Amino acid sequence: MSDVFTAYVFDDVDGKPKGGFKTLTLADLPDLDVLVEIDYSSLNYKDGLAITGKGRIARRLPMVGGIDIAGTVAESRSPEWKPGDKVVLNGWGLSETQQGAYSRYQRVKAEWLIPLPDAFSTLEAMAVGTAGYTAALCVDALEDWGFIQNNKDKEIVVTGAAGGVGSVAVALLAARGYRVTAATGRPETHEYLAGLGASGFIDRTELAEKPATFAKERFAGGVDSVGGPTLANVLGQTFYGGAVAACGLASSSDLPASVLPFILRGVALLGVDSVMAPRAKRERAWARLARDLDKAKLAAITTVQPMSELPELGAAIVAGKTRGRVVIDVQK
Ligand SMILES: NC(=O)c1ccc[n+]([C@@H]2O[C@H](COP(=O)([O-])OP(=O)(O)OC[C@H]3O[C@@H](n4cnc5c(N)ncnc54)[C@H](OP(=O)(O)O)[C@@H]3O)[C@@H](O)[C@H]2O)c1
């Protein structure tokens, strides 16, 4: 175990959190039960908001950034984990209220960890990351609602399709035999999305225009990571009895919608949160990912980048320029 290591840390600069690289020791880490040696983390939209300062993510400072961990238990005071166990952690307030993942080592609570699924290496688990695990939570929510399984002839729309949540949602839905329509603002990603299983495409501007709020039925359901008028339009085009899983705000946190889809078509808006989701939901979502996510497709959506590139990578994801998932190598 090395004594000193580099971490990406937000500090108070003129009253605002500002990220930078710092040398830490194990003594700098919080006094929590499990010390994890981190192999990889990942880049999520929330990380981009923190890195660019476009969102106030860290609630106390200094704060190590990064919301996703995959690595190996190095020390444990908990009977649940022993040195050598391979583990994954998504969310639980990391980089907000709890010290995060952009570091070679971190101490975490035992109950935040789940075992690394046998299907994945630590790199692959971070290719999935919070975005992919959230996509799985969305598909779980849609299947729990129960409409899409009996309407496989109808389209399911995935918005923000070329992003992290969107790419994994397309792949997971297609793997279960659903007819996936990808809504994207980047026509150059159509071939990539078709490779993941999308069979139809919508230009995102069509959904982003002033909502028709209640239009002709088109979708059995949707996975929305965009919010704003896009979500309102998806709701307004969802079939009687269908449902939309909403998890994101890449366009807006507003919802300029009509109640008509709810009260005239019984459409359901299913809210999905990954950060504080209970362990049973997490393990179920990861089991779906292990079962349905094709490894070749996962590799096709993934790039691995050194932690030293975080400032540039954070700006790119907030600008909507990132395709698929970015794994962060915390040793580089
Ligand atoms: N609820 C949760 O627990 C949870 C968990 C994970 C993520 N999220 C949220 O989900 C969203 C997506 O996260 P991500 O990691 O997938 O981010 P991402 O990789 O940046 O993907 C977001 C995608 O949204 C589309 N988009 C961006 N700006 C847009 C705009 N102004 N109008 C319409 N579409 C736009 C782009 O897709 P195209 O290029 O294909 O158009 C972009 O690739 C974020 O808001 C994130 O905070 C929430």
Side-chain angles (χ1 to χ4, degrees):
M1 213 183 299
S2 68
D3 289 345
V4 293
F5 46 94
T6 304
Y8 187 77
V9 183
F10 294 94
D11 268 312
D12 187 329
V13 177
D14 300 329
K16 286 189 184 152
K18 177 131 185 47
F21 295 98
K22 266 175 115 171
T23 300
L24 300 184
T25 69
L26 293 178
D28 295 315
L29 303 180
D31 182 23
L32 297 174
D33 278 349
V34 186
L35 177 69
V36 181
E37 184 173 28
I38 301 172
D39 290 341
Y40 298 100
S41 182
S42 86
L43 180 77
N44 292 276
Y45 193 83
K46 187 190 275 180
D47 300 312
L49 291 176
I51 291 165
T52 57
K54 293 208 164 134
R56 181 119 195 187
I57 305 298
R59 316 266 178 78
R60 59 190 174 86
L61 299 169
M63 176 61 71
V64 179
I67 67 176
D68 280 328
I69 286 176
T72 308
V73 171
E75 292 171 0
S76 173
R77 297 188 304 229
S78 158
E80 234 186 311
W81 303 105
K82 58 179 189 324
D85 287 345
K86 298 279 181 195
V87 288
V88 176
L89 191 162
N90 306 111
W92 290 119
L94 260 60
S95 86
E96 301 178 71
T97 54
Q98 310 291 343
Q99 300 296 328
Y102 293 150
S103 171
R104 178 64 167 146
Y105 294 95
Q106 191 51 275
R107 282 203 193 90
V108 301
K109 289 190 185 173
E111 62 264 32
W112 295 343
L113 295 166
I114 59 167
L116 176 75
D118 290 339
F120 297 123
S121 65
T122 48
L123 192 156
E124 288 165 336
M126 289 295 92
V128 173
T130 284
Y133 139 68
T134 303
L137 288 173
C138 289
V139 180
D140 283 344
L142 289 177
E143 288 198 337
D144 286 348
W145 177 253
F147 182 80
I148 58 173
Q149 296 93 320
N150 299 321
N151 288 278
K152 286 196 166 172
D153 58 318
K154 299 182 175 65
E155 297 166 88
I156 297 184
V157 66
V158 175
T159 66
V165 174
S167 296
V168 179
V170 169
L172 289 178
L173 286 162
R176 300 304 283 173
Y178 295 109
R179 209 179 129 200
V180 184
T181 294
T184 178
R186 291 182 276 177
E188 67 275 18
T189 63
H190 284 191
E191 199 180 324
Y192 158 84
L193 289 164
L196 297 179
S199 53
F201 299 94
I202 302 179
D203 190 303
R204 81 181 191 200
T205 54
E206 266 181 55
L207 292 171
E209 280 159 11
K210 192 174 177 303
T213 62
F214 198 60
K216 191 167 178 290
E217 290 162 304
R218 173 169 181 184
F219 308 120
V223 172
D224 177 64
S225 60
V226 168
T230 301
L231 175 55
N233 273 316
V234 169
L235 287 166
Q237 294 178 48
T238 298
F239 269 95
Y240 191 104
V244 180
C247 70
L249 41 57
S251 144
S252 171
S253 59
D254 290 343
L255 180 52
S258 162
V259 297
L260 293 180
F262 309 126
I263 65 176
L264 295 183
R265 290 187 184 148
V267 167
L269 176 55
L270 309 172
V272 172
D273 165 63
S274 66
V275 178
M276 303 307 285
R279 185 185 268 191
K281 274 195 171 185
R282 290 169 186 263
E283 291 186 337
R284 183 178 168 214
W286 276 98
R288 176 186 289 280
L289 290 156
R291 185 192 64 200
D292 291 348
L293 195 55
D294 182 280
K295 292 285 200 76
K297 288 183 180 167
L298 183 61
I301 71 171
T302 306
T303 53
V304 183
Q305 297 284 358
M307 186 164 73
S308 59
E309 293 289 318
L310 274 176
E312 295 78 13
L313 296 167
I317 196 166
V318 171
K321 291 186 178 150
T322 303
R323 195 188 81 171
R325 295 279 303 141
V326 178
V327 171
I328 301 296
D329 184 341
V330 298
Q331 297 186 74
K332 291 189 181 154

